[in-house]
Structure formats: structure tokens, C-alpha cells
Amino acid sequence: MKAIRFHGRKDLRLDEIPIPELKSDDIKIKPAYVGICGTDLHEYEDGPIVIPSTSHRVTGEQLPLTLGHEFSGVVYEVGSAVTSYKPGDRVVVQPVIYDGTCGACKQAQINCCYNMGFIGTSSAGGLAEFIVVKESFLFRLPDNVSLDVGAMVEPLAVAWHSTDVANVRPSDSVLILGGGPIGIAVLLCLKAKGISNIIVSEVAAGRKKLATQFGATHVLDPTEDDVAARCRQICDNEGVHVVIDAAGVQSGLDTAIEACRVRATIVNIALWGKSPTVAVNTMIYKEITYKGSAIYVQGDFQQVLDALGNGKIANAKDMITKKIEMSEVDEGFRLLVEDKANQVKILIRVAGGD
Amino acid sequence: MKALRFHGNKDLRLDDIPIPEVKKGYVKVKPAWAGICGTDLHEYLIGPMLIPTTAHKITGEKVPVGIGHEMSGLVEEVGDGVEHYKVGDRVVLEPIIYDGTCGACQAGSFNSCYSNGFIGISGFGGAFSEHIVVEENYLNHLPDNVSMRTGALVEPLAVAMRAIANGNVQASDTVLILGGGPIGLAITLCLRSIGVKNIILSEMAAKRKTLALEMGASHVLDPSKDDVVARTLELCEGAGGVDVAFECAGVQPAVDVAFRTVRARGTIVGVSVWEGPASLDINKLVFRERRYVGTAAPEHKDFEAVLKALKEERLKPDGLVTKTVGIHEIEQEGYKSLIEDKANHAKVLVEVGGG
């Protein structure tokens, strides 16, 4: 079968590899659409970083490795012991692999597993004609949600979880730093939860427009506006209750600390290239809580699927700015690196469908 | 009356000034004992920073100002309309000044008032004086079974109680304290008072390490000799880290250790005030969903928690005091010891003399 495999930095190849074997408790899926994630880009540009060069602690796999951890698909075949899925079922895959035995797993904090892996970075992913997974990794896609939107459930779950970590209340004002795929996903999730005062800070014109389209009450541009001052102005001269950082840059964090009110919460989703310097005394005097948000936890996928199904997460399809074929994968990566301002989510059509 | 006042950087003077008037609603207190705080030292060495050089928004005062905010004393006179105090009452000062009207105050966060001040920093007198006259809401009653000397420790203990509350510490938790100065030691004591047993404290100075054990730390580590991260994680036996780490040192290596030793979903409490910005490894907050929470000055409920613990004898903080000095030697004996012989000291108290 065909598969896009990561061989090394800037080295993706469309390889011909054996179709994986189906054991009795496995499910064989035909991936439909696969999203490209910031992590994939990072591996492409600077990797291998998380993709293992030697046998992975949990999965035993190593490069070259089939990419793709944000994907939807259709069940093709099920093992003899599988009863809960049948061929034709439309599904999404939750890619987290956890060991179940480390200190975090023992506290049911699987998203903090010390030996965490991902389908698509620690074991073969969805950028292939077939993938075989266990039942526990699957969720059903509602009938009224298309397969391309299904490929966005994973990043939407990352965003959803961050809003739980932030503990946002309906009357809160929220500042989202960064209107990229995660920032926009956070906006959609906040709207789904009934939050109405949402300020987005973003520089790229296309992304600012999308933020407005998706219902941000204010869209600010840090190259033009004093974002912190505007946030305070907009929010009773006090500042926002919550900041969600999907940008991960020094100036953003500086702004967050000044934009938020006393006892506010800043939630960081973004991964940082280098540690920021922080005005820690301001965090002390304002008793700010600064929390990290790691991927998602049990239940988040289902909540996102439900919200897509009942329309609370609306217009997720509009986040898809381009669809490409497997043969064009290098172009997809290139666009996300060089034409970032005009792209949000690029999907690779594997089997496609819907 | 004699009053030690801050006139500028390294410029403290024992001035002779008029005794303030006891207006309606005000109480005149004779300070008994008063502590020197890290903030006082900071102002002396590199200030004025918090001490106002232009009229403070609430007090209207500026340099020179009275110094000393960790105070116990005896009520000597009460103005008209004072409801809760009478002559002879033994009291403790609750020094935060707030306007009650700004957004923070309206949300109940008086300690983060936008015009925030402290008695003994921003005006309204200071504890290193023969008398201090304040409105009654800046006072608390000292329980009968608590000495005046111990009363001067209430304010720093309230700082500790607040840090513990912000960290949401449970009695069964394992805690790491970075820095065994007066605040780190106060946190140790307050943790013991609420039943916490597993307290790891990291400190270099010999005397402070000894004090930490006396205050009830279960393990004392020395960052100049031990790999604090490795040892702490070992002591947590597979839990992956401590439940809460208190950053009481205000230096980069301390916050780095805190970020690496807290378990998944654990808390780092920022207590210390820094002289510059910190470099924070945010990815460490992300991958283990840790949180960092800042702690500002103590509020009324923190003072209440301390006074209750002292009254019930769950808290016995006298071991924190390593030296006492008289009002005429505050700078030469008090400040000097804390600056030049820091390693051998925790809390220095001034015996002002009242009560």
C-alpha cells in the first residue's frame, strides 16, 4: 500500500509498504482525510524530535514512520473478536498512546503520561491507504458530520481541553493569543460553550478575517493595537478573566500578563522554542494562575463530536483552507511554512469520501 | 516621639516627630515588638521602590515615611466612634492599605488593590516608633495566650498561610520549599500546623538548614551539594514529583527546580518577589499540566488563620527569631546582621518596648 513516511528532516517519501496485518482484536480502517499539525511541521523542519530514531519505549517502532495523527476514516475490516464496529462505520481516531503504569497514568492523567506516544509520531499513522488500530482508539463520527470535518476533531479536542483547564465561566471575557488553527479552534469551542466576550489577537489578514467570521467580538492586531490596553478598556477597565495562549511568543506572554485582571488565569497550549522571560512580580502582585494544557483527556473527543453533531461547534469546515492529494504532501508542508498567513488547516485527501 | 524613618537609599534616621493625632475612628498603639522584613531590606539596599517618592494615592505621603509593618502592640488611646478596641487591648497590625473602590477591591481582592499600599512602606506611620495611630480596621486582637513577641511574627506567618491556601495544599501532600529564609521557614511551620508531614526544604546556609529541621521539615537538601531535582523525585517514590512547590528564593535556579519537581497537575506557588524577570520553561507547564500561581500580600482571612492556629497552639513560631535589637540599633544591629550575616539569621525582631 502507499504511505507517506518521514525518513528524516525535510525528507517525506511516498513509499510502497506492506498492508498491516489484522489480528482478532484489531480494526482496519481506510483513512479519509488527514490534517497536518504544527508538530508535523516541526518534525519536518527540525526533526526528528519526537519521532523516534531508535525503538520507541511503548510502541517499539522507529523511523521511517508513517505520519498523520489528525484523521478520520471508514472501517474496512474488523478482527474476529471485534463486535462494536463493522465495515462502513465512519470513525475518527484518538491517537494518544499511554503506558498505563507511570505516575501520571496511575492518577488517570493519561495526557501527562511520562512515556506518551502518538499514532502518527510514535507508530504508523493515518497517511496511508490502511491503518490497523485497537477499538479503544476509535470514536464514531455522527452521520451529519462530514469526513473532512472529522479530521479536525483532534485539534478541536486540544482546544476544547484548554477551555476546561481555563475553567471559563459564561460571563468571562477571554483573550486568545494567536488566530492560527489552534487559536481558531479555541474560538469555536468557546462559542460552543456559550462564551460571548472573546478577543482574538492575530497579525495575519486572512486569519483575522476568519476570527471575525467565527464570532470573535473583537479582533486586535498587535502590530497596530496596544492589545493589553485595549483588553482592559473593553473589559470594564479591568482586563480579561482568561487568556488562552496559542501563539507561544514572548510579546504575547508580556501582553497576556498586562491584559488580564487580578486573579486571572492564563492557559498555555503553545509549545515554546525557547523559554520566555516573565514579569514574575506582576504575576505575584496580581495573583495570576498560569496553567499548562496538554492535548486532551478522556471525554474530550466525545464532547467535540457531540458539539459538531448538534451544531454547537459551527462552521468548522471553514477552517479548511486547502485539500491536497498524498502526492502533493511536500507542497502542503511548504505552504504551511511559507504561506502561513493565508492558511489555517490543510487536509490531505487519502481515500476522501462524503 | 522617636520614629525610624526611611529618607532614601541606605538612609534610615531615628527622627523626633510629633505624635500623630487620635482622630475619630483611630486607635493609638504603643508598638511592643516589630519584625524587619525582606521588603524593608530591599527598600534600604536598592530602593526606594515601593516606598513612594511622590504622594501615595491613598496615604498622600511620600519619603520620609515610617518603617516597620510586622507589629504587635498595646492600645493606649481610642478615638471617638472606635467600636472594637479599648485601652489595654493587645493587638497585631494588619498593614495592607486599599481603597475599597477599585476593580480589584470590588472583586474582593483587597491585597491586589490598584492603589495598594502598606503601613510602614506607603505611610500612615511605622512600627519602629514609640507610637502608631491607625484606623481600627488595620488591627486584630492578639489572643491572651500569645505573647507580644510572638505577635510580631503574625504578619509573615500570614504571608505563609496565604501561599499555602493559594497552593491548595492538602495534609497528605508532599511539599518542596525552595529557600529556607524567614518565609520558607514560616511556610514550614504553617504546613505542620495544618498536618502536612512530608516537607522537603532546599537551603544552603547551615543555620537555616538546622532551623528548617527544628520547624518540622522532614528532609533538608542543600543545592550546593545535592542534586535537588533527583533527590526530590526519589523522595516522591513514583508519584512523579511533589504536589506543591513553594518558590521562596527569588532566583532562577530555584524556579527551575520547582518547574522540574512538581508532579503532573501539581502547583508551583510563587511567593518571593524578584529583582528582575524570571525565565520560565513553559513547556514544563504544558507537558505535565502544571500550574504556577502568584501569591500577593496576606488578607484578613490569612491573619485570622494564623491567630487561630497560635491560640490553639498548633503554631509555635518563636524559633524563627534569631536576634532581637533595641529601637536605637535597628540599622546597625538589625539591618546589618540581615544583610551581612544573612546565612545565620531568619527573623530579627525589634523590641520597641510597649506592652
Side-chain angles (χ1 to χ4, degrees), chain A residues 103 109 111-112 114 161 238 263 268 272 275-278 280-281 284-285 287-294 297, chain B residues 103 109 111-112 114 162 166 240 264-265 270 274 278-280 282-283 285-286 288-292 294-296 299:
Chain A
Q109 295 159 355
N111 63 327
C112 302
Y114 302 158
H161 179 61
E238 299 300 318
R263 297 195 195 159
N268 185 94
W272 289 70
S275 299
T277 53
V278 178
V280 72
N281 288 345
I284 303 259
Y285 290 137
E287 294 198 320
I288 290 170
T289 298
Y290 190 7
K291 301 170 89 168
S293 182
V297 295
Chain B
S109 302
N111 60 335
S112 304
Y114 299 157
R162 182 170 193 78
N166 280 13
R265 304 217 188 129
W274 287 59
S279 170
L280 299 187
I282 310 297
N283 292 346
L285 287 185
V286 174
R288 299 272 186 268
E289 289 201 329
R290 296 163 167 136
R291 67 178 183 130
Y292 173 91
T295 300
E299 298 186 319

Side-chain angles (χ1 to χ4, degrees), chain A residues 53-275:
Chain A
S53 312
T54 55
S55 171
H56 186 273
R57 261 197 282 200
V58 178
T59 67
E61 297 190 41
Q62 62 189 77
L63 50 87
L65 196 69
T66 304
L67 292 182
H69 61 268
E70 305 179 359
F71 63 99
S72 60
V74 178
V75 175
Y76 182 78
E77 197 185 334
V78 300
S80 53
V82 174
T83 51
S84 52
Y85 289 92
K86 60 186 193 312
D89 284 346
R90 298 158 74 254
V91 293
V92 298
V93 172
Q94 185 191 254
V96 173
I97 303 165
Y98 53 93
D99 69 10
T101 54
C102 73
C105 283
K106 281 196 285 209
Q107 306 273 4
Q109 295 159 355
I110 63 164
N111 63 327
C112 302
C113 171
Y114 302 158
N115 301 310
M116 190 189 300
F118 258 64
I119 292 173
T121 59
S122 326
S123 72
L127 266 176
E129 293 182 87
F130 293 99
I131 182 172
V132 167
V133 296
K134 298 269 183 287
E135 272 180 71
S136 57
F137 290 91
L138 292 184
F139 286 80
R140 280 177 210 292
L141 192 62
D143 292 339
N144 63 334
V145 181
S146 54
L147 283 164
D148 52 358
V149 172
M152 300 213 294
V153 170
E154 200 270 354
L156 282 164
V158 169
W160 189 272
H161 179 61
S162 76
T163 64
D164 286 338
V165 170
N167 210 15
V168 192
R169 294 161 307 179
S171 56
D172 281 348
S173 298
V174 182
L175 167 65
I176 304 173
L177 295 170
I182 293 296
I184 294 291
V186 171
L187 173 57
L188 288 175
C189 292
L190 288 171
K191 298 289 293 176
K193 290 182 170 191
I195 313 297
S196 41
N197 303 324
I198 308 168
I199 304 166
V200 175
S201 171
E202 169 57 52
V203 304
R207 292 176 167 191
K208 283 192 289 186
K209 222 161 110 189
L210 211 56
T212 304
Q213 191 186 313
F214 282 144
T217 38
H218 295 83
V219 177
L220 302 175
D221 185 331
T223 64
E224 291 168 7
D225 306 303
D226 178 341
V227 176
R230 285 287 289 132
C231 284
R232 291 192 305 264
Q233 239 174 17
I234 292 164
C235 306
D236 328 297
N237 286 320
E238 299 300 318
V240 295
H241 299 81
V242 172
V243 180
I244 299 184
D245 187 348
V249 295
Q250 178 70 60
S251 54
L253 182 54
D254 295 339
T255 297
I257 294 170
E258 292 300 320
C260 69
R261 61 183 58 201
V262 164
R263 297 195 195 159
T265 298
I266 303 174
V267 173
N268 185 94
I269 311 176
L271 292 180
W272 289 70
K274 67 184 201 102
S275 299

Side-chain angles (χ1 to χ4, degrees), chain B residues 4-63:
Chain B
L4 189 75
R5 296 199 301 171
F6 177 98
H7 283 256
N9 185 280
K10 297 195 182 79
D11 188 2
L12 298 174
R13 302 181 209 171
L14 193 58
D15 295 332
D16 233 299
I17 60 171
I19 299 174
E21 197 192 322
V22 185
K23 297 194 281 249
K24 183 166 162 131
Y26 280 70
V27 177
K28 183 182 186 182
V29 179
K30 198 157 176 39
W33 291 86
I36 303 171
C37 165
T39 298
D40 298 324
L41 295 174
H42 260 155
E43 294 294 316
Y44 177 80
L45 288 170
I46 59 179
M49 292 186 299
L50 297 173
I51 291 177
T53 48
T54 56
H56 185 272
K57 267 197 255 202
I58 300 173
T59 69
E61 296 182 45
K62 62 177 167 93
V63 157

